[in-house]
């Protein structure tokens, strides 16, 4: 896509971009009250209309009348693999490399533990100090459990931190605060050159930018279902284990459904081959059904088109923000180069928390991450270019009118 943006980027120019947007039709697939400008799809995606029907059907028909037979007749038992393979298509993985299971946090634990057990000579996990908290906490816990070390360094020092002691490079591709995107190919190569494996957290990448795990020879990955993939609150996460590692690495949570034949009810664990061995317990069938609907829409739109629109949305938002919001004390914190950012723009402002709360009362939903980061997730499937114009205008009006100085916006309390 990438049409050149007009010099005069006004509301009409934004409407013209919407008129030319090849993904414009997908907006109507999501429930929308017509007034809220929702720029928080990076925290929780909108509800796909078809998910309502799917959940109703699964509850009434499958659960209600097929009952326990649903495990086979309705494909419940297969659903983590079937939907996993479809997520694989979105993230550049092969069939049999992705499983829907648990939360991202639990997936991180399982993958990190498996690597450190498989590489007893290497005792260090290299990561970034500003990584997402759960990634750091899980790494700290795993290190304590297995007697290893977490080497958390600044982004620019990652290359030098990799050495012969490194078992794993653990990174989140798109930074949750700034929206900055790592060079997955170069960092994976650097880790491999040091003899280490890589574990990428795709929570802010999948459904936002094009990802090519196989192409970059990524070893392991995790990601969550409820952000850009629109799986809904409590949506399960997924794990990716490259085919070449599936024999060597072992799931540390040896549950019955990861057994080669769970229904023998054998007393000895015998690991199932392939990604099946990464199952532990029963899959969250209803939640996987809802997630599948979100994946459907992404596959229909295509990850490349989604990534291209993300690049354009973020560029437009940054240009509007520089013109209208910089003079009001904001500063764009997201990289200018479209291949170095996700589908998110972050603006620093010293009074960001109060501003975002006041802006929410004017029907613009973004969020805030301390100390000063106002975050806007521009989910490509349902965000219009005119929404960006209107949002920037309302943010400017809040600050110009001093609304953020009012007492109700200044009290402590988090924006979720
Ligand atoms: C949202 C997010 C998670 C979520 O973890 P859960 O355990 O699924 O709640 C993990 N990592 C990153 C980088 C995230 O952005």
């Amino acid at each position: 896509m990438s049409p050149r943006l007009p010099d005069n980027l006004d509301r009409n120019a934004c409407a013209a971009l919407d008129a030319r947007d090849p993904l414009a039709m997908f907006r109507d697939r999501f429930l929308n009250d017509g007034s809220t400008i929702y720029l928080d799809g990076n925290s929780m995606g909108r509800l796909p209309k078809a998910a309502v029907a799917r959940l109703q059907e699964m509850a009434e028909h499958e659960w209600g009348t097929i009952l326990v037979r649903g495990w086979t007749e309705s494909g419940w038992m297969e659903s983590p693999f079937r939907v996993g393979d479809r997520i694989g298509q979105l993230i550049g993985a092969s069939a049999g490399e992705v499983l829907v299971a648990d939360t991202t946090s639990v997936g991180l634990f399982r993958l990190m533990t498996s690597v450190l057990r498989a590489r007893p000579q290497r005792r260090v996990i290299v990561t970034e100090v500003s990584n997402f908290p759960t990634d750091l906490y899980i790494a700290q816990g795993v290190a304590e459990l297995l007697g290893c070390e977490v080497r958390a360094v600044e982004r620019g020092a990652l290359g030098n931190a990799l050495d012969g002691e490194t078992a794993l490079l653990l990174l989140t591709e798109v930074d949750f605060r700034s929206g900055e995107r790592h060079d997955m190919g170069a960092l994976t190569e650097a880790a491999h050159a040091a003899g280490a494996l890589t574990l990428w957290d795709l929570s802010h990448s999948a459904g936002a930018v094009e990802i090519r795990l196989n192409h970059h020879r990524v070893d392991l990955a995790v990601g969550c279902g409820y952000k850009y993939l629109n799986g809904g609150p409590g949506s399960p996460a997924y794990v990716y284990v490259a085919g070449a590692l599936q024999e060597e690495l072992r799931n540390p949570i040896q549950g019955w459904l990861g057994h080669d034949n769970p229904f023998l009810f054998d007393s000895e664990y015998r690991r199932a081959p392939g990604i099946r061995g990464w199952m532990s317990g029963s899959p969250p069938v209803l939640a996987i059904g809802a997630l599948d609907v979100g994946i459907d829409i992404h596959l229909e739109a295509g990850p490349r088109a989604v990534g291209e629109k993300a690049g354009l949305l973020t560029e437009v938002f940054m240009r509007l923000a520089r013109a209208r919001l910089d003079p009001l004390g904001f500063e764009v914190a997201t990289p200018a180069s479209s291949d170095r950012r996700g589908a998110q723009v972050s603006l620093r402002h010293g009074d960001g928390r109060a501003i975002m709360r006041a802006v929410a009362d004017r029907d613009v939903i973004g969020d805030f991450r301390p100390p000063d980061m106002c975050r806007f997730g521009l989910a490509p499937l349902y965000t219009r270019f005119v929404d960006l114009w209107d949002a920037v205008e309302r943010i400017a009006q809040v600050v110009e009118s001093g609304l953020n100085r009012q007492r109700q916006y200044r009290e402590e309390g988090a924006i979720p």
Side-chain angles (χ1 to χ4, degrees):
M1 183 158 81
S2 291
R4 246 183 59 81
L5 294 177
D7 291 333
N8 178 23
L9 198 52
D10 56 12
R11 196 175 193 282
N12 285 336
C14 289
L17 287 171
D18 285 320
R20 287 208 301 270
D21 171 15
L23 300 185
M25 59 178 278
F26 287 98
R27 176 177 167 81
D28 192 44
R29 304 284 183 89
F30 297 87
L31 205 68
N32 188 339
D33 63 10
S35 61
T36 303
I37 300 179
Y38 191 65
L39 304 181
D40 210 2
N42 53 339
S43 280
M44 193 191 76
R46 275 192 183 277
L47 168 66
K49 289 175 184 168
V52 179
R54 175 77 65 95
L55 285 168
Q56 175 122 17
E57 153 78 14
M58 289 182 83
E60 280 184 7
H61 179 63
E62 297 181 11
W63 180 8
T65 65
I66 299 181
L67 289 163
V68 72
R69 292 163 290 196
W71 285 110
T72 49
E73 286 177 22
S74 303
W76 295 347
M77 199 55 96
E78 289 305 307
S79 63
F81 311 108
R82 188 175 52 78
V83 178
D85 279 349
R86 287 153 58 73
I87 292 174
Q89 292 174 37
L90 287 181
I91 60 178
S94 303
E97 290 185 324
V98 179
L99 171 75
V100 176
D102 311 300
T103 61
T104 312
S105 302
V106 171
L108 285 164
F109 175 84
R110 300 199 301 152
L111 294 176
M112 281 188 231
T113 307
S114 73
V115 169
L116 288 162
R117 287 172 67 198
R119 303 287 161 91
Q121 316 307 335
R122 291 173 173 255
R123 304 320 288 156
V124 176
I125 298 174
V126 171
T127 189
E128 189 180 355
V129 280
S130 59
N131 202 342
F132 190 79
T134 211
D135 300 61
L136 296 172
Y137 302 161
I138 299 281
Q140 290 157 14
V142 167
E144 199 176 313
L145 188 68
L146 300 179
C148 303
E149 181 197 328
V150 179
R151 189 180 289 160
V153 301
E154 297 293 339
R155 176 163 290 228
L158 282 168
N160 285 334
L162 297 164
D163 60 21
E165 294 190 305
T166 310
L168 183 69
L169 174 62
L170 164 71
L171 291 174
T172 296
E173 191 197 15
V174 175
D175 184 82
F176 77 106
R177 289 190 187 88
S178 66
E180 185 170 355
R181 184 182 185 189
H182 276 298
D183 185 338
M184 178 185 273
L187 283 161
T188 299
E189 208 176 305
H192 288 170
L197 297 177
T198 51
L199 168 46
W200 288 94
D201 188 329
L202 305 176
S203 292
H204 285 275
S205 309
V209 292
E210 194 182 8
I211 306 162
R212 301 198 291 164
L213 295 184
N214 285 170
H215 174 84
H216 291 309
R217 300 181 41 241
V218 167
D219 305 293
L220 303 161
V222 293
C224 72
Y226 51 81
K227 291 173 182 160
Y228 293 103
L229 297 182
N230 310 304
S235 182
Y238 54 90
V239 295
Y240 155 88
V241 182
L245 288 167
Q246 287 183 2
E247 263 308 296
E248 184 191 354
L249 299 185
R250 296 190 48 185
N251 176 7
I253 305 181
Q254 299 186 162
W256 69 306
L257 291 184
H259 189 280
D260 193 30
N261 189 346
F263 297 99
L264 280 182
F265 298 98
D266 207 349
S267 50
E268 288 298 317
Y269 184 75
R270 197 173 70 241
R271 170 164 70 127
I275 200 72
R276 224 162 251 282
W278 288 85
M279 279 273 270
S280 294
S282 302
V285 173
L286 298 178
I288 292 177
L291 174 60
D292 198 19
V293 176
I295 305 301
D296 262 342
I297 304 175
H298 273 285
L299 285 174
E300 192 185 333
R304 172 158 302 167
V306 166
E308 282 172 359
K309 184 171 173 190
L312 205 55
L313 284 166
T314 45
E315 185 173 340
V316 167
F317 192 84
M318 289 194 293
R319 264 189 53 184
L320 296 174
R322 280 199 201 94
R324 187 77 172 93
L325 301 179
D326 271 18
L328 299 172
F330 288 90
E331 185 196 340
V332 175
T334 304
S337 163
S338 66
D339 57 356
R340 291 275 65 81
R341 60 178 190 254
Q344 165 190 336
V345 174
S346 298
L347 307 177
R348 292 181 194 283
H349 193 292
D351 202 27
R353 184 189 297 274
I355 292 171
M356 292 309 285
R357 295 167 107 194
V359 164
D361 275 354
R362 311 280 302 266
D363 273 341
V364 176
I365 311 293
D367 67 13
F368 176 79
R369 291 292 177 262
D372 59 355
M373 217 56 115
C374 305
R375 292 199 316 175
F376 303 92
L378 314 182
L381 290 178
Y382 50 77
T383 306
R384 295 175 304 191
F385 293 92
V386 286
D387 294 333
L388 309 183
W389 173 272
D390 293 341
V392 167
E393 208 40 51
R394 287 187 216 173
I395 296 164
Q397 285 164 12
V398 160
V399 178
E400 282 170 345
S401 66
L403 197 63
N404 53 304
R405 311 232 67 88
Q406 290 184 4
R407 225 186 64 223
Q408 75 264 33
Y409 301 123
R410 312 210 64 78
E411 282 149 15
E412 275 308 304
I415 291 186

